[in-house]
Amino acid sequence: IAAYEDKSDKFDMFFKKVTSTILNQIETLKNIATEFSNFAKMPKAENEKILINDLVSSVHDLFRKREDVDIYLIVPIDELFVFCDKNQMIRVLNNLINNSIQAIPEHRKGKIDIQLGQKNNFAFISIKDNGIGINEDMREKVFLPNFTTKNSGTGLGLAMCRQIIESVNGKIYFISEINVG
């Protein structure tokens, strides 16, 4: 207000900075509201037999052209079918890959390996990043609603992933090494 009343040269700079901050906060609040809403009323799953090879490949295609991260994909030649909701599985993969990208420090060239495979008649998807890892004291909280290690976000993404994966009798877990990923 003082910069405005004094007709200060710095008013334009202050105005732009404050406006940008307000818009960012509004966007953050909008995202939080959306995530809470989505988590509270997950749509009824439309489970069907899907070719998981194609689904994983299509999600990889969304991310692979990033300049800041090299994202590699390994899929088997054999077709792997799973029984799940296609849209929910896309949400899970998008969330996990986004989390991997966000876990990589700005000063480090990102590398994410996505692998689809089969073990004991079960399909598995592995997503490995070279991010900062998760501290030992936080590991048991990772899949709990409202828990986050980030400055922004709702902490619902991994809880949602867990809910979706377990609803189709799957398992979700992680292995972490500090400063390795």
Side-chain angles (χ1 to χ4, degrees), residues 1 4 13 18 42-43 45-48 74 84 86 100 102 108 116 124 129 132-133 140 147 162 172 178:
I1 294 177
Y4 174 74
M13 180 185 70
V18 169
M42 288 289 293
E46 301 282 335
N47 293 338
E48 60 184 320
I74 299 171
C84 67
K86 180 180 178 180
S100 287
Q102 293 169 358
R108 185 180 301 171
L116 172 65
F124 71 84
D129 64 56
I132 59 173
E140 64 187 44
F147 176 78
R162 180 183 196 178
I172 185 170
I178 299 299

Side-chain angles (χ1 to χ4, degrees), residues 11 16 41 80-81 83 87 97 110 127 139 146 155 157 160-161 178-179:
F11 175 76
K16 287 179 185 176
K41 58 177 187 204
L80 298 178
F81 291 91
F83 190 73
N87 292 325
I97 294 169
I127 300 172
R139 293 182 186 179
N146 304 318
M160 176 204 62
C161 290
I178 299 299
N179 283 324

Side-chain angles (χ1 to χ4, degrees), residues 1-56:
I1 294 177
Y4 174 74
E5 289 173 352
D6 295 342
K7 308 288 189 247
S8 171
D9 296 347
K10 297 179 183 179
F11 175 76
D12 288 340
M13 180 185 70
F14 286 128
F15 183 77
K16 287 179 185 176
K17 185 176 180 181
V18 169
T19 302
S20 175
T21 300
I22 291 170
L23 291 174
N24 285 335
Q25 292 300 319
I26 290 170
E27 184 66 24
T28 299
L29 291 171
K30 184 184 93 170
N31 289 339
I32 289 170
T34 300
E35 286 298 318
F36 274 110
S37 176
N38 290 341
F39 186 74
K41 58 177 187 204
M42 288 289 293
K44 186 176 185 300
E46 301 282 335
N47 293 338
E48 60 184 320
K49 182 178 175 182
I50 64 165
L51 179 60
I52 195 73
N53 306 54
D54 289 348
L55 187 137
V56 172

Side-chain angles (χ1 to χ4, degrees), residues 108 131-137 139 175-181:
R108 185 180 301 171
I132 59 173
I134 299 172
N135 290 327
E136 186 78 36
D137 60 331
R139 293 182 186 179
I175 300 168
S176 182
E177 192 173 337
I178 299 299
N179 283 324
V180 175

